[in-house]
Amino acid sequence: MEALDCIKTRRSVRKFTDTPVTKEEIEQIVAAAAYAPSWKNTQIARYIVVTDEKKKRNLAETCMLDFAYNQKTALHAPALVVVTMLTARSGYERDGSFSTSQGTHWQSFDAGIASQTFCLAAHAQGLGTVIMGIFDENKVAEVLDVPAGQQVAAILAIGHPAEEPVCPKRKDVDALVSYQ
Ligand SMILES: Cc1cc2nc3c(=O)[nH]c(=O)nc-3n(C[C@H](O)[C@H](O)[C@H](O)COP(=O)(O)O)c2cc1C
């Protein structure tokens, strides 16, 4: 798929068919997402793939802050990919001090770029994704036993699309760009 088409036709997909997503499909996508840029090439994003029905149900029912849309999406997606970030690396100096006045900002920035790269790679392979930000970070870490030194950044649902969402309206370039 041509890059601009991929960027423009990717939509957040929240309904999936029952077809499972294979380990090979996920690993091809992660291999592409590994090319995302990151702070000093620290590559802090990690991907915890959840296909176990009991665990998915647990995440959907206890970790979505009672947000019904995410509960439904998580419950019916064939797989959830919990994006975590290694902490205290991106945006930090070796002595543990922040490199900039923006503190922990850069680690989330890196995780965001990695997540979008993941979603675009999935779309290029015919799979649908949605990035979910409404969840209880601590509960997710508890359910998945996320290792110390990692923080949950986002939850992605992934599967074969069962809907073709219309594109939510985008702002005109005039509203986005300014020149000096
Ligand atoms: C950081 C972030 C958090 C989001 N959180 C949620 C969420 O919790 N639930 C959901 O259904 N969609 C979520 N979305 C998806 C947005 O609603 C979606 O990207 C936006 O409406 C534009 O639609 P599009 O992705 O189809 O272009 C999130 C997207 C981002 C980037």
Side-chain angles (χ1 to χ4, degrees), residues 21-33 49 118 125:
V21 179
T22 65
K23 194 171 173 225
E24 290 70 32
E25 284 171 321
I26 296 275
E27 291 190 355
Q28 269 185 39
I29 294 164
V30 171
V49 182
F118 182 103
Q125 277 187 218

Side-chain angles (χ1 to χ4, degrees), residues 39-166:
W39 175 278
K40 294 185 182 173
N41 199 26
T42 42
Q43 304 178 59
I44 59 157
R46 298 291 182 272
Y47 307 88
I48 303 174
V49 182
V50 184
T51 52
D52 177 75
E53 281 303 323
K54 256 168 108 180
K55 252 184 202 167
K56 267 197 305 129
R57 180 170 290 277
N58 196 354
L59 288 172
E61 287 177 354
T62 70
C63 299
M64 297 300 181
L65 299 172
D66 293 329
F67 185 57
Y69 285 111
N70 283 0
Q71 289 179 324
K72 208 169 153 195
T73 303
L75 199 58
H76 299 296
L80 296 175
V81 178
V82 176
V83 181
T84 69
M85 47 198 178
L86 304 187
T87 54
R89 295 200 192 170
S90 175
Y92 286 78
E93 295 298 306
R94 284 191 186 278
D95 66 5
S97 63
F98 290 128
S99 303
T100 72
S101 62
Q102 302 221 59
T104 57
H105 165 76
W106 296 111
Q107 60 192 23
S108 297
F109 194 91
D110 285 359
I113 298 171
S115 297
Q116 169 69 342
T117 308
F118 182 103
C119 293
L120 289 173
H123 179 49
Q125 277 187 218
L127 290 164
T129 58
V130 60
I131 297 174
M132 292 183 284
I134 299 175
F135 57 82
D136 181 327
E137 177 196 339
N138 294 325
K139 277 197 180 153
V140 174
E142 194 184 303
V143 168
L144 299 181
D145 203 11
V146 171
Q150 285 185 42
Q151 195 181 334
V152 178
I155 301 179
L156 317 180
I158 184 166
H160 295 266
E163 62 170 354
E164 270 186 45
V166 289

